[in-house]
Amino acid sequence: MGKAIYDVAIIGGGPAGMSAAIYAGRAHLRTCMLEGMSAGGQMFNTSTIENYPGFGIVDGPELSDKIEAQVRQWGTEIIYGQVTGIHRDREIFELSDAGGNLYQSRTVIVATGTKPRKLGVPGEEELIGSGVSYCATCDGAFFRDRDVAMIGGGDSAIEESLYLARIARRVTVIHRRDTLRAAKDLQERAFAEPRIEFLWDSSVEAILGQTSVEGVRVRNNKTQATSILPVAGVFIYIGTIPNTEFLQGLVPLDESGYIVAGEDTITTVPGLFVAGDIRTKGLRQIVTALADGAVAAMAAERYLGKWGL
Ligand code: FAD
Ligand code: NAP
């Protein structure tokens, strides 16, 4: 059991959580930020970021490190632990983590973001870490001058294909339709990149290989013809799913599993705020996650006013 009660416990150390930590720290609130993996969240695993104002082009890990340094500067306690449970009793939240630690706080900011959606085909689980990857920044370097497949047609798939094209010999984007969902500028750059090829109207049915990836079996969704594409790596970027398992019904979710809250980040549970990608919102980006974190921390500060803190 933690000795003292925190004013603010932030769950998740991505852009939203770190921004909340900076604002809460600067407001002299006793704050902890619980992070299950590494500070930076999805931003940490992004190769290059081109739409973060003021930096031109910046590497995800570099931007993460800069923001984390600012969090530490303002005194927030960063605790590495995966939150597995939360409940509220007499206006105090109690959080438990996977290591069996308990933390108490008067307010909670949930900023747990999302995780990669899995494809759910044979070979995927078995070959994770042996050629199957959900993070080009982390694993791209293993595929220098080799052929890889990218599955997906959104911003993530195309942006990370452009990154992989600087390393791999050939990147084959396998997309289930014949048009991409990705932003037009990303599309244009991918179409102009000689190392990127496209397999349209195609779905991966199986990832092949005994001890490491050797290829994928692909079905053409229009003709139903199947073929084998030999590749050494398979990168899967088919969207994300919200990290809400630990909430166990505490707060309402929408039909896709996101926590329901408006721009004020206030939920139906008094003292519980929600920031970043995990919130119901129209645009999931670093800048909007950072903005949410700031709004949530200030909302928590106002809520704490009733304790005279
Ligand atoms: P996340 O970044 O998902 O962070 C959530 C954090 O919470 C994680 O660190 C996770 O480990 C932690 N966590 C989850 N559950 C728990 C738990 N139970 N206990 C403790 N910790 C937990 N946006 C842009 O603006 N520009 C880009 O160029 C860009 N490129 C992207 C490229 C890719 C490949 C992807 C996937 C996304 C990209 N985005 C980009 C979107 C951007 O990364 C997200 O919008 C942003 O990271 C959301 O921040 P967040 O803090 O809400 O969540
Ligand atoms: P996304 O926009 O949801 O795109 C997912 C892609 O995967 C879609 O093309 C989808 O196909 C495909 N897909 C989904 N399920 C599939 C399945 N079971 N099998 C095969 N393909 C499947 O997800 P995202 O690209 O990860 O982006 C997530 C969010 O982050 C978005 O809001 C995005 O804008 C943001 N982001 C922004 C940037 C940037 O600003 N530069 C970069 C990366 C991500 P369909 O098209 O047919 O639906």
Side-chain angles (χ1 to χ4, degrees):
M1 171 75 67
K3 286 186 195 71
I5 298 176
Y6 289 100
D7 299 325
V8 184
I10 300 161
I11 312 177
M18 293 202 291
S19 160
I22 292 168
Y23 276 75
R26 292 191 74 232
H28 297 291
L29 300 173
R30 185 163 195 264
T31 307
C32 68
M33 186 180 84
L34 291 141
E35 167 54 49
M37 291 176 73
S38 52
Q42 295 174 68
M43 179 173 64
F44 185 79
N45 292 330
T46 298
S47 46
T48 47
I49 295 160
E50 300 179 347
N51 53 7
Y52 186 76
F55 280 77
I57 296 175
V58 61
D59 289 348
E62 183 189 340
L63 185 57
S64 296
D65 289 349
K66 281 191 190 322
I67 301 176
E68 186 185 342
Q70 209 169 341
V71 171
R72 292 186 187 281
Q73 182 189 336
W74 290 105
T76 289
E77 203 177 322
I78 302 180
I79 301 169
Y80 285 96
Q82 181 79 8
V83 173
T84 51
I86 175 170
H87 76 271
R88 184 170 182 267
D89 187 20
R90 280 167 289 171
E91 301 194 323
I92 299 291
F93 292 92
E94 189 167 90
L95 312 180
S96 48
D97 73 12
N101 303 299
L102 296 177
Y103 309 91
Q104 289 188 320
S105 183
R106 293 190 170 87
T107 66
V108 168
I109 297 173
V110 179
T112 46
T114 61
K115 57 174 165 280
R117 178 179 290 135
K118 297 208 170 156
L119 198 54
V121 299
E124 181 180 18
E125 288 295 334
E126 298 86 328
L127 294 167
I128 288 174
S130 301
V132 171
S133 173
Y134 305 87
C135 178
T137 321
C138 320
D139 300 327
F142 295 122
F143 301 97
R144 183 159 298 285
D145 298 326
R146 308 195 68 190
D147 293 346
V148 299
M150 168 64 75
I151 305 171
D155 285 338
S156 298
I158 302 310
E159 192 168 74
E160 298 308 304
S161 293
L162 287 162
Y163 169 73
L164 287 170
R166 305 207 300 259
I167 302 167
R169 185 173 63 176
R170 184 177 56 187
V171 181
T172 304
V173 177
I174 304 172
H175 184 38
R176 62 186 180 182
R177 295 186 293 126
D178 63 359
T179 49
L180 297 173
R181 181 179 294 275
K184 284 283 176 283
D185 69 307
L186 288 172
Q187 293 195 27
E188 282 164 13
R189 279 156 54 195
F191 294 147
E193 168 53 60
R195 291 191 192 204
I196 298 181
E197 294 179 357
F198 289 86
L199 264 185
W200 300 109
D201 297 310
S202 298
S203 296
V204 168
E205 285 191 337
I207 300 172
L208 311 172
Q210 288 301 319
T211 54
S212 63
V213 169
E214 292 167 15
V216 288
R217 190 169 74 240
V218 181
R219 180 177 293 275
N220 183 295
N221 298 327
K222 288 197 167 148
T223 65
Q224 301 308 322
T226 58
S227 58
I228 305 251
L229 176 74
V231 287
V234 180
F235 289 85
I236 301 172
Y237 280 89
I238 58 167
T240 49
I241 48 178
N243 292 317
T244 52
E245 302 83 353
F246 65 98
L247 288 169
Q248 293 156 345
L250 179 70
V251 62
L253 309 178
D254 75 357
E255 65 282 353
S256 304
Y258 293 91
I259 301 173
V260 178
E263 295 293 321
D264 59 10
T265 75
I266 295 171
T267 72
T268 53
V269 179
L272 188 85
F273 306 90
V274 57
D277 279 12
I278 192 69
R279 180 173 77 78
T280 46
K281 53 159 61 176
L283 182 63
R284 294 193 167 86
Q285 292 277 280
I286 294 164
V287 285
T288 59
L290 292 165
D292 272 8
V295 172
M298 293 298 94
E301 186 191 27
R302 271 194 300 280
Y303 173 87
L304 286 164
K306 70 181 184 178
W307 273 282
L309 294 167

